[in-house]
Amino acid sequence: MRRRNRNQERQRAWQASRESKLQPLPSCEACTPPSPEEVQSWAQSFDKLMHSPTGRSVFRAFLRTEYSEENMLFWLACEELKAEANQHVVDEKARLIYEDYVSILSPKEVSLDSRVREGINRKMQEPSPHTFDDAQLQIYTLMHRDSYPRFLTSPAYRSLLLQGAPQSSSEA
């Protein structure tokens, strides 16, 4: 009986967190189309792309075409976990992240080296909002070095650049 109450408490905490908390990284469903300047800024640095909700959405769509969308999904899940203060919710989110992206049984498994994977396995004994920090950095670096250069030459990104070209025909 006590275990059932604890599970119900965790479920309520999880729901309350999802329903009432503003997410630190908003989804792009309500995004306005990016300005030509914003699209151009994505080529200046990977950080600018990742800090833009619209940029993340466009980059995620690109990753989907490369069958590596799980990298962005993992990174976003880690960002959400880092914003969580309720330990019960942290425990549950950490478990879900592990099952969805770290477990070798997951179809969405991200590519992590053995050192990082072992560190996660140790940290999962007592999950914290920072359980996946090393893995998140490794995946961020992978996207930056591997996918980002291809994104900048992709038809999707070039199309966005061309949409803004008439309005920014002169260079400052």
Side-chain angles (χ1 to χ4, degrees):
M1 184 71 173
R2 184 174 207 168
R3 186 170 185 78
R4 177 184 247 182
N5 288 341
R6 188 170 177 215
N7 286 339
Q8 288 173 340
E9 180 183 322
R10 282 185 177 184
Q11 186 63 30
R12 277 194 301 276
W14 172 258
Q15 284 299 108
S17 173
R18 292 193 70 77
E19 292 169 1
S20 67
K21 192 170 193 166
L22 291 174
Q23 296 301 318
L25 294 171
S27 71
C28 197
E29 292 168 10
C31 290
T32 57
S35 69
E37 295 78 18
E38 182 180 7
V39 173
Q40 291 170 1
S41 77
W42 301 340
Q44 294 170 6
S45 80
F46 186 59
D47 288 338
K48 287 185 179 183
L49 173 71
M50 292 296 282
H51 281 93
S52 161
T54 306
R56 286 191 309 272
S57 179
V58 172
F59 187 56
R60 179 178 168 186
F62 169 75
L63 291 174
R64 193 175 302 128
T65 68
E66 293 208 325
Y67 304 100
S68 59
E69 180 183 22
E70 66 276 0
N71 291 332
M72 177 65 81
L73 295 174
F74 172 74
W75 187 85
L76 290 168
C78 292
E79 288 295 295
E80 189 177 307
L81 178 66
K82 286 194 280 190
E84 188 54 62
N86 181 315
Q87 187 58 47
H88 292 303
V89 178
V90 167
D91 291 347
E92 183 64 16
K93 285 184 179 185
R95 183 186 62 77
L96 291 172
I97 291 170
Y98 186 89
E99 289 174 2
D100 287 349
Y101 304 108
V102 179
S103 170
I104 59 172
L105 302 174
S106 173
K108 297 186 290 187
E109 178 188 8
V110 294
S111 180
L112 299 171
D113 66 37
S114 60
R115 178 191 60 81
V116 169
R117 197 174 289 279
E118 289 167 9
I120 290 171
N121 288 335
R122 280 191 306 274
K123 292 174 184 175
M124 284 300 292
Q125 301 302 315
E126 293 182 35
S128 81
H130 300 284
T131 296
F132 301 99
D133 284 0
D134 291 341
Q136 186 184 25
L137 178 60
Q138 192 170 81
I139 294 303
Y140 186 89
T141 303
L142 175 70
M143 290 189 297
H144 183 198
R145 292 186 180 158
D146 188 46
S147 302
Y148 176 64
R150 287 194 304 277
F151 168 73
L152 294 177
T153 61
S154 72
Y157 181 68
R158 294 176 140 224
S159 171
L160 284 172
L161 280 175
L162 291 174
Q163 287 175 15
Q167 297 163 356
S168 58
S169 58
S170 65
E171 295 198 32

